Amino acid sequence: GAPLVLPLSEEVGAALIETYIRSLEPTKPGDTARVVALTREMIAAARDALPKESIELADRLTQLGDGLRALNVLDEAELLLREALTLSEKLRATDHPKTLQTKNCLAVTCYWLKKLDKSVPMFEELLKVRVASLGRQHPDTVMNLLNLGINYADSGRNEEAIPLLEEARQGLKTDPSKGSVNAVLLESYRKVHDLKNPRDKARVVALLTAIFADVRRQLAQRSLAPATELAQLGQTPVDDTRAPLCLQR
């Protein structure tokens, strides 16, 4: 077809990407390949249309790099997001919201690449900045607590993961992500506590009881997601091991 001309408006560019992706079915291999090809075409168009050292290019590379991450093109996404972060840190303050957004996207990508030695320090830096600027109750901070807690848990640092995950669990309230923090927190509890010890086992049972209470409250509101979670928890013995369900952005 005709070569793609990338609109210089960030809003128009984002709308174009979303329209293309929504028109396809990324679950089908052929359609996924088409979306990846489109994203690469837009990356090339961005490099042609925008100044090499500009915040506009940094933001576009973040947008497109995170798109590649969502499409599971992780190695390529990491390179693009590192470039975007370098630009953003050079042209903006390191605690600028856009710089933090790019760093978060890169940290998530490194997590999925199993580069925990890279993702953990970034999530630690992000949490420090967000606590200072937004406070611990802000939704962005809560999601950062969840992300860092998951990273600690996957690194075997369960003692450090538990307080972060407990705080995230309280902050998420009825957010859909609560199912993820429940699963990871329960896994960390089981790894840290000796289930043969009555006191430790009581703590695990108390967590399970609290999770069931949360799910039942949501079921009363006719939510389908808690029903699925309740079924999963009901089928999970206390000594079973479950992997994290997902990592939230």
Side-chain angles (χ1 to χ4, degrees), residues 29-79:
D31 279 0
T32 300
R34 289 174 63 193
V35 178
V36 171
L38 170 67
T39 305
R40 287 172 176 156
E41 187 178 347
M42 296 189 79
I43 292 168
R47 293 190 188 282
D48 289 341
L50 300 171
K52 290 184 178 180
E53 292 202 357
S54 64
I55 56 176
E56 292 81 9
L57 181 60
D59 292 344
R60 194 61 52 80
L61 293 181
T62 295
Q63 180 189 55
L64 295 170
D66 198 48
L68 288 175
R69 177 203 58 79
L71 292 164
N72 206 35
V73 187
L74 298 176
D75 290 320
E76 196 170 333
E78 181 189 6
L79 291 175

Side-chain angles (χ1 to χ4, degrees), residues 14-145:
L16 179 61
I17 293 171
E18 183 177 357
T19 299
Y20 268 94
I21 291 178
R22 286 181 180 274
S23 70
L24 303 174
E25 295 184 50
T27 55
K28 295 181 178 179
D31 279 0
T32 300
R34 289 174 63 193
V35 178
V36 171
L38 170 67
T39 305
R40 287 172 176 156
E41 187 178 347
M42 296 189 79
I43 292 168
R47 293 190 188 282
D48 289 341
L50 300 171
K52 290 184 178 180
E53 292 202 357
S54 64
I55 56 176
E56 292 81 9
L57 181 60
D59 292 344
R60 194 61 52 80
L61 293 181
T62 295
Q63 180 189 55
L64 295 170
D66 198 48
L68 288 175
R69 177 203 58 79
L71 292 164
N72 206 35
V73 187
L74 298 176
D75 290 320
E76 196 170 333
E78 181 189 6
L79 291 175
L80 209 62
L81 290 167
R82 284 196 183 282
E83 180 182 352
L85 181 60
T86 298
L87 269 178
S88 191
E89 288 181 333
K90 180 178 180 180
L91 300 171
R92 296 179 169 122
T94 55
D95 61 351
H96 188 281
K98 290 282 190 177
T99 303
L100 298 178
Q101 178 187 10
T102 302
K103 181 173 286 188
N104 189 77
C105 292
L106 177 58
V108 171
T109 301
C110 288
Y111 170 85
W112 286 115
L113 283 166
K114 302 187 185 303
K115 296 182 178 181
L116 295 171
D117 59 321
K118 305 294 184 184
S119 62
V120 167
M122 285 189 281
F123 280 127
E124 289 175 333
E125 292 169 10
L126 285 164
L127 181 59
K128 183 177 180 180
V129 172
R130 282 175 170 157
V131 167
S133 61
L134 302 174
R136 299 192 77 88
Q137 308 302 318
H138 191 279
D140 287 351
T141 307
V142 173
M143 290 308 301
N144 210 143
L145 288 164

